[in-house]
Each structure stands twice: as C-alpha cells, then as structure tokens.
Amino acid sequence: MSDIRTFQYFANNQWHDPADGGWFDSENPANGEVWARVPDCRQADVDRGVAAAREAFCDGPWGRMLPAERGRVLRRIGDVISKFAERLGAIETQDNGKLPQMITPGLREGQWLVDSWHYYAGMCDKFEGRVIPAEAPDMHNYMKWEPFGVVAQILPWNSPLGTLIWKLAPCLAAGNTVVMKPSEHSSCSTLELMDVLLEADLPPGVLNVVTGFGSTTGEPLIDHKDVRMASFTGGTAGGRAAAAVASRQVKPIIMELGGKSPQIVLPDADLELAVNGVAAGIFPPGGQSCISGSRLLVHRSVVEEFSHRLVDVVKKAKVGEPNDPTTQIGPMANGPHYRNVLDRIAAADDAGHKLLLDGRTACRDKGYYIGPTIFADVPNNADLAQNEVFGPVASIEAFDDQAEAVRIANDSIYGLAAGIWSRDVTSAMRMADRIEAGTVYINNYFNAATQSPVGGYKQSGYGRENGWEGMRCFMQTKSVWLATDPHQPDPFG
Ligand code: NAD
C-alpha cells in the first residue's frame, strides 16, 4: 500500500485534497495493479477550479497581458516541457501503458508536446482584427478577436498528453483560462504536467486540473455558470451527453469524437507500401487511436494477396510490457476497455466473420494484452465495421469499383479520417474529394502535425484542433462601432 502514490488536484497553482475526501484507484495496465490514487473531485472542487480560472481571467495578469507577452509565457512552457519530457513520459507509461518511445521528444507525441507551445507562442500576436468598410456614414466599424473566458477541457484516456496538447496551447494562446478534466482512467500524467508547469511561472489560476468521472466532475464543470465554452475529446456517446449539458446554457463546445476510419486499397496500389502503411495505421498503439484506419476496403482483385501479406506483417509484432525496449505493441490502456475489446472480438467471431489472425493468444494472467486481430469478409453493416472497437482489430471487405468503395467508405456515422492506397495519384485525389472525413491520407496514414488542422465530419465531431483553425475555435469576434461625427436626431420627434 505504501508504494501507492496519492495525487491531489490542481487549482490556483496549488495542490488540494478533494473536498469530500474521496479518491479512486488508477491501475498500471502492464500488470493490472493499482499504483496511484486520484482525487474524485465533485462540485466544491469544480467550483474552486473555476473560481481560480475566472479570477485569473477577470482580475489576474493573464486577462490584461498583451498577446506578445502571452507568447513569451507559452514559449517558456514549451522549453520547460522539453526539459521534463522523460519524466512525463514515464508517468504516461505507468498510468496508460503507452510505449515510452511514443512520447520521446523528437517523436510524434513527445514532439507535439513541445512544438505546440512554440507554434502557438508565435501565433498569439498574429490574430489581427480588421476595419470594415460598412455601409454606414460617419461610422468607424472594426472587428477584433477576443477569448471566451474560462474554458472547460475534457480529455479521453488514450494519449492523455497527446490529446491535451492539441487543445491546451491554442486555448491559452487565445487568452482564455482553463479548467481541465482528464479521463478517470488516465489522470496522472496531466497532474504531473501541472507540477512541471509550476517551473514555467504560469500565473495562478490560468490552468487548473480537476480529476474525476464524467457525470460527477465533467458535467458540473461544463455546466458551471462561469464556464463560457468547452472542448471535449472522447467517444461519440460521451460527446452527445456533454453537448446536451452545454446546450442548457447554449455554450459553444468543440467535439473531437470517435471514428471508424476506412482505408481503401485500390487495385493499382503498391501492395507492399499499402500493407505496411495499413499495419502502421492501426496496430502500433494497439488500435487505441481515434483515427485508427481499421475498416479495410480492398479491391476484389487483390484482397486475397493483401490479406495474406497483412497477416504476415502484423503477426510478427511483439506485444509486451511497455518498458521492455523490444516491445512493439503495449497493453490496452485499462481493464474495462480490455474486457470490452475482448467482448467485441468474441462477438465478431460469433457473428461468423472469417478470423485470419487472433490476437487473444497474446493475453496474459496479469496485464491487459491483446495482439493484432484481423477478420475478413466483414460486410459494412456488421457491428465490427460500423462501431469503433478502439483496439487492435481490423476488418476487411472487398469492393468491385471505385464508386462502390466511396459509397461503403461514406456509409458510416463517422467521418474522422480515411486512407487511399493507389499509384494513380490524380484519381486518388479525386476520390479524396468524395470522402466524408476531416483528414484523408493518400499513400500514407497516421500523419499529424501541430500546423495542420484536424477534426471530424458527421458524428466524429465539429471544431478543429491544431493550426490556425485550432486557435480560432477558442476565440470569438467583437464588432465595435465608433461614431466619427456623433449625431442622433430625436427618434420620436
Ligand atoms: P469517453 O467519451 O468515455 O470519455 C472522454 C472524457 O469525457 C472522459 O474524461 C470522461 O470522464 C468524460 N465524460 C464522459 N461523459 C461525460 C459527460 N456526460 N459530461 C462531461 N464529461 C464526460 O471517451 P474515452 O473512452 O475516454 O476515449 C476514447 C474515445 O475518444 C474514442 O471514441 C476515441 O475515438 C475518442 N478520441 C477522439 C479523438 C479526436 O481527436 N477526435 C482523440 C482521441 C480520442
């Protein structure tokens, strides 16, 4: 018991015990053992976080700070994080099972964690208003950009630091203050980040973290009367519930939700490239990525060869403990999710889909391990093709022509991402135009960058993260009318 680390929550640059004294356990998914206790924040704690954020926005230095000065603070934060990235990565691995190499600076999420601060540091003073040539005599009309105020940010458990950074830096760059709620399954790296940020001299109250569950922490946070907008990353069901709460006070909310992203392999594809790219677009994070391209649509003329080659590539993957440097795929990030993925595999098996590779052979007595799993002959109306598994599970369906491929790809409630594999780039670009998804990859998959906006079509969400659009979502415009020659005749005379 003594080895179990107890966290506090973070408000006004100070650590606090939860007001009602409740904590919940956090497991290490590598062995299923409890390693930390996390505050179960309720209304009083949410109130404290929001009060700190509101004071920082209305009365603290943050609200009055010039954008260029805010940029200098953000740059400092990026520098501090790059110094402590290894420490943050170690907590992420312990709490979430993510391989340490995925959060190493210079690689993907580790790099985003630093780049995002530096990118938005430079953007703080680039949002210029404009003078509008309004059809109104003797008036000077101008538009300016303003922050919303206190913003609630709700995070999922996959890639806690990776998803956090896409919304945090642009939101602060825009001049808002933030109360963040990480997932109940992976709160610890977000709390550790706050400890790191204390070194960056962020003014008190600008960033606060309350931990807990969706209904008892997330809902009161979004619903708080002093929260002006929210940004939610998570599943579509959770997103619907959060949007319903936001709608009570007509609050804007950004939605970054789930997906069931298709990857289309055309008959002229370079099959080696496609097989490797498809495998890389699903399995390394154990399928626990929102854009996981796990719905494979393969032209009938190459589906046999493609399927065999895909199995040959992914069956070599080493599934194991995240801290073992030879591991290529770590565990599922938490117990409930692990059991859910196993249930979905069993259901797909029971439904009679052809099981080409069974990842259940990787299961162990301790820890939440599942290996790559591939089903073939999965019609697009099957549960496996329609509903997100969020695990290392791919389905394959054959198609006969491009029009059918596009129709099947779009036959989904989701529209987060899609992949197209073809040597005919012109035709692939035409196909990309017809796919209903926020991101389309041609002859690659899984790329993302701080500079490039991401987000969903359809029930994968609305609003964008990263790039100029990522900051714009956290700002609103104000139109100001100044009378240059004030005169107002008596309206009733
Ligand atoms: P989830 O919806 O269960 O939970 C996400 C967060 O929402 C958690 O912090 C949870 O406590 C909170 N929450 C749940 N119900 C709530 C409510 N009614 N009010 C306020 N907060 C509430 O999702 P998850 O299982 O943690 O994450 C996995 C999902 O996230 C997958 O569907 C994945 O595709 C999606 N995701 C999307 C993106 C993206 O950018 N589009 C990125 C990562 C993950």
Side-chain angles (χ1 to χ4, degrees), residues 340-356:
N340 182 44
V341 173
L342 287 178
D343 286 349
R344 294 290 302 280
I345 295 174
D349 208 3
D350 291 346
H353 307 313
K354 191 164 153 195
L355 186 53
L356 300 184

Side-chain angles (χ1 to χ4, degrees), residues 51 80 87 173 238 245-246:
V80 166
R87 176 172 139 200
V245 175

